[in-house]
Amino acid sequence: MTSKMTKIIRASTVPGSLDTFCRGLLRELRELEGYEVVAVSSPGPAMHDIEEREGVRTAAVPMERRMAPLKDLVSLWRLIRVFRREKPRMVHSITPKAGLLCMMAAWMCRVPVRV
């Protein structure tokens, strides 16, 4: 493995989804597979829990679960900023709204792998 770890972003609309569906997985990706992992979701107390338990960094980007076109545009802009700063190799989202917004942002930022 090279000295620079491959960075991946795991994203969900709300942190509870990351906390439930990715419990243990984020740590495994980091420890066993050697990835640098950044968890992205709306702000909430679970974000701190994820960071502590999984040993990954988090980035809070407010996202609405419901249709909210203006707020969605703001979320998209914020995701683009996060992706440009982090420069991930892969973005993987696990919820519908985060999927839509993250895939658009990742495409705009030319992230090579988008799931």
Side-chain angles (χ1 to χ4, degrees):
M1 181 183 349
T2 63
S3 61
K4 185 175 180 182
M5 293 192 313
T6 301
K7 186 182 296 186
I8 63 174
I9 289 179
R10 294 293 305 252
S12 70
T13 309
V14 295
S17 295
L18 281 176
D19 193 35
T20 301
F21 300 124
C22 295
R23 183 176 292 263
L25 177 62
L26 302 177
R27 177 176 295 283
E28 284 184 23
L29 287 169
R30 184 178 58 78
E31 290 179 353
L32 301 178
E33 302 299 327
Y35 291 104
E36 180 180 354
V37 180
V38 179
V40 175
S41 191
S42 294
M47 290 293 273
H48 177 71
D49 297 341
I50 292 165
E51 194 170 61
E52 291 293 313
R53 183 186 66 241
E54 304 293 326
V56 300
R57 288 187 300 111
T58 60
V61 175
M63 289 180 263
E64 294 286 326
R65 292 178 79 182
R66 62 180 176 76
M67 295 278 295
L70 293 177
K71 288 182 178 182
D72 292 344
L73 283 174
V74 172
S75 297
L76 178 62
W77 179 75
R78 288 177 174 167
L79 287 165
I80 289 169
R81 287 181 58 202
V82 169
F83 295 172
R84 283 188 178 154
R85 179 181 71 236
E86 296 293 342
K87 296 176 179 45
R89 172 92 175 118
M90 179 177 86
V91 172
H92 181 215
S93 59
I94 62 170
T95 56
K97 177 64 78 76
L100 174 66
L101 296 174
C102 285
M103 293 308 106
M104 290 172 64
W107 179 79
M108 290 178 191
C109 293
R110 296 181 177 17
V111 175
V113 181
R114 302 176 297 267
V115 181

